[in-house]
């Protein structure tokens, strides 16, 4: 299922989550000693899952997926049934759940509606502690999340403080200064 795919933060955590899900399904039909054995195994796996902070990850994964525009009913869907855009959003959710020190995001707002774009902007501004290098054509999004713009032009890199709008203003001023110097 979708939320389990996002839960694959570590192979061990995914293994625990998958085994718990499998036991839950088998418990519905089990009786007597088989039910007791499954219940005991479920307790062991559940404890291991909790030790790995699995329940926290599960809640965060659900919140991230819902924030990125998935519906509650879609969280149970197998990943193979998702569209390309949904798979992209699932991969983004997994990255956000991993919370690495550095995020490299290439056009992160593609396949996101306005609500999901706003949610991602808020997430990056308030709940993500690392650095993010974002390549995007979405000026509104960049204005909301970036604090420095790096422009690569003619084999050189220029750094500008502030958001995209400030970059555009500073670049225009720099071009005007260069034009005046040239004249």
């Amino acid at each position: 299922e979708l939320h389990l795919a996002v839960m694959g933060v570590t192979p061990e955590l995914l293994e625990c989550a998958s085994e718990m899900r499998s036991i839950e399904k088998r418990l519905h039909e089990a009786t007597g000693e088989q039910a007791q054995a499954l219940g005991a195994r479920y307790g062991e796996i559940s404890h291991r899952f909790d030790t790995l902070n699995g329940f926290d990850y599960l809640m965060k994964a659900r919140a991230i997926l819902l924030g990125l525009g998935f519906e509650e009913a879609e969280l149970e869907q197998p990943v193979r049934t998702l569209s390309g855009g949904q798979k992209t959003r699932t991969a983004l959710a997994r990255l956000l759940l991993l919370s690495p020190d550095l995020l490299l995001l290439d056009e992160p707002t593609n396949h996101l509606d306005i609500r999901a774009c706003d949610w991602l902007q808020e997430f990056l501004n308030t709940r993500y502690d690392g650095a993010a290098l974002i390549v995007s054509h979405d000026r509104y999004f960049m204005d909301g999340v970036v604090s420095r713009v790096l422009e690569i032009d003619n084999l050189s890199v220029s750094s500008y403080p502030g958001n995209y709008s400030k970059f555009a203003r500073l670049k225009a001023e720099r071009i005007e200064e260069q034009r005046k110097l040239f004249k």
Side-chain angles (χ1 to χ4, degrees):
E1 289 101 10
L2 176 60
H3 69 283
L4 289 182
V6 174
M7 284 293 301
V9 175
T10 67
E12 187 177 13
L13 192 58
L14 179 58
E15 182 183 313
C16 285
S18 296
E19 187 171 349
M20 286 171 58
R21 184 60 125 192
S22 173
I23 291 171
E24 287 168 1
K25 289 177 182 177
R26 293 187 330 214
L27 267 172
H28 288 292
E29 298 172 6
T31 58
E33 287 181 25
Q34 184 186 24
Q36 281 184 325
L38 285 173
R41 179 65 182 154
Y42 188 83
E44 293 169 12
I45 295 298
S46 178
H47 177 70
R48 189 165 136 219
F49 186 74
D50 189 35
T51 302
L52 295 168
N53 295 319
F55 292 107
D56 289 340
Y57 279 120
L58 186 57
M59 295 305 293
K60 288 177 185 176
R62 292 180 85 80
I64 290 170
L65 287 165
L66 294 172
L68 290 176
F70 284 96
E71 299 296 325
E72 188 74 38
E74 293 175 310
L75 301 184
E76 304 299 323
Q77 278 185 255
V79 174
R80 62 178 154 56
T81 65
L82 301 177
S83 69
Q86 288 173 317
K87 287 178 182 175
T88 300
R89 286 187 287 144
T90 301
L92 177 59
R94 188 169 176 178
L95 280 176
L96 297 177
L97 184 63
L98 279 167
S99 194
D101 293 334
L102 175 64
L103 277 174
L104 302 174
L105 300 174
D106 183 14
E107 299 293 351
T109 59
N110 282 4
H111 306 292
L112 299 181
D113 61 18
I114 292 171
R115 187 181 65 80
C117 286
D118 289 344
W119 179 90
L120 180 59
Q121 179 178 321
E122 185 270 331
F123 181 91
L124 292 173
N125 285 330
T126 62
R127 290 186 265 165
Y128 177 65
D129 292 329
L133 178 62
I134 302 169
V135 177
S136 180
H137 289 89
D138 186 337
R139 294 174 183 180
Y140 174 78
F141 179 75
M142 289 193 305
D143 268 348
V145 296
V146 303
S147 58
R148 176 163 300 282
V149 173
L150 299 175
E151 178 191 39
I152 301 171
D153 185 34
N154 201 20
L155 302 176
S156 67
V157 177
S158 300
S159 178
Y160 297 86
N163 64 14
Y164 183 83
S165 293
K166 186 172 181 185
F167 152 75
R169 189 174 59 255
L170 291 173
K171 182 179 177 181
E173 289 170 5
R174 191 178 104 220
I175 289 171
E176 182 59 26
E177 279 180 38
Q178 289 174 342
R179 190 185 64 75
K180 286 178 184 177
L181 285 173
F182 181 74
K183 280 186 174 184

